[in-house]
Amino acid sequence: MPLRAPQAPAPALRSVLTALSSPTAVREARTPALLDAQGPVTPELPLPVHVLDRVTAEGVAATRLAGWRFHLRCGDRTVAAAETRLTPDGWTFSHFFEGPYVASTERALRQAESVPQSCQPRLLSVPELYMLTLWLHGDCAADPASGHPAATDLLVPLAPAPPGIAAHRPHRVAELLPVLTDRVTPTRLLGSPA
């Protein structure tokens, strides 16, 4: 499938480039792979990061854009990632990081190339479950900063996924959203007032 990666806002990219050129920002990030990088590090693969705030009674996921994530490449490998966030003054660098979600995102993107329809890759975070998914949005022309997951969009849980949800197994939003909703919805304690 052709992945139609959205273009990140220029100020978001500039904030990452500025942080990469700052020895203090890189050193204080305490990201070993980034500190040990031999050669230039370039931000690639910009993905908008949306947060699942709630699910409406109609089953529609209410999301909001929280930032943009860039994979940081040195030579032929990804060494870390950088994230930006939107502030009242515009896009600003947030932090560098490495860990399982970086490699898992790349794996999910490679896996997504075998899906027959074109889509726009995004990330969808479900903070209550400590879960991150690759969101394959079916509307390639959509504004990457807006929208909500359509029932036919695909969500690919990234590793590590919550117990009982298989990482790297694509799910239609209509299938996975009820599972996530059930897990996020607080249950009433036995004997508590109705």
Side-chain angles (χ1 to χ4, degrees):
M1 143 191 76
L3 289 175
R4 306 253 172 93
Q7 183 117 12
L13 177 57
R14 273 195 307 273
S15 73
V16 170
L17 291 170
T18 299
L20 282 170
S21 67
S22 164
T24 303
V26 172
R27 190 172 46 255
E28 289 181 1
R30 292 184 173 75
T31 306
L34 188 57
L35 289 170
D36 295 339
Q38 300 295 314
V41 176
T42 57
E44 297 180 354
L45 193 64
L47 294 171
V49 180
H50 291 260
V51 174
L52 179 67
D53 284 328
R54 61 183 167 76
V55 178
T56 67
E58 298 79 29
V60 176
T63 64
R64 63 181 164 79
L65 180 67
W68 280 83
R69 182 170 295 176
F70 298 80
H71 281 211
L72 303 175
R73 293 189 66 81
C74 181
D76 63 348
R77 66 184 192 99
T78 299
V79 294
E83 198 155 304
T84 64
R85 61 185 171 89
L86 188 59
T87 68
D89 295 326
W91 288 101
T92 185
F93 171 74
S94 176
H95 61 281
F96 293 120
F97 64 96
E98 60 183 271
Y101 285 132
V102 176
S104 188
T105 301
E106 288 192 324
R107 176 180 170 188
L109 287 166
R110 284 192 305 273
Q111 180 182 0
E113 292 170 356
S114 66
V115 176
Q117 73 268 18
S118 295
C119 53
Q120 183 186 86
R122 302 172 173 195
L123 293 172
L124 180 64
S125 173
V126 186
E128 291 86 356
L129 298 177
Y130 300 101
M131 180 179 184
L132 186 64
T133 69
L134 177 64
W135 169 14
L136 300 173
H137 190 49
D139 183 358
C140 295
D143 176 0
S146 64
H148 59 273
T152 56
D153 286 353
L154 292 175
L155 296 177
V156 181
L158 301 180
I165 296 176
H168 297 285
R169 182 175 171 264
H171 301 270
R172 295 262 177 231
V173 167
E175 298 165 356
L176 188 58
L177 204 54
V179 173
L180 301 180
T181 303
D182 287 347
R183 289 186 175 207
V184 170
T185 304
T187 57
R188 282 199 312 242
L189 297 173
L190 291 175
S192 66

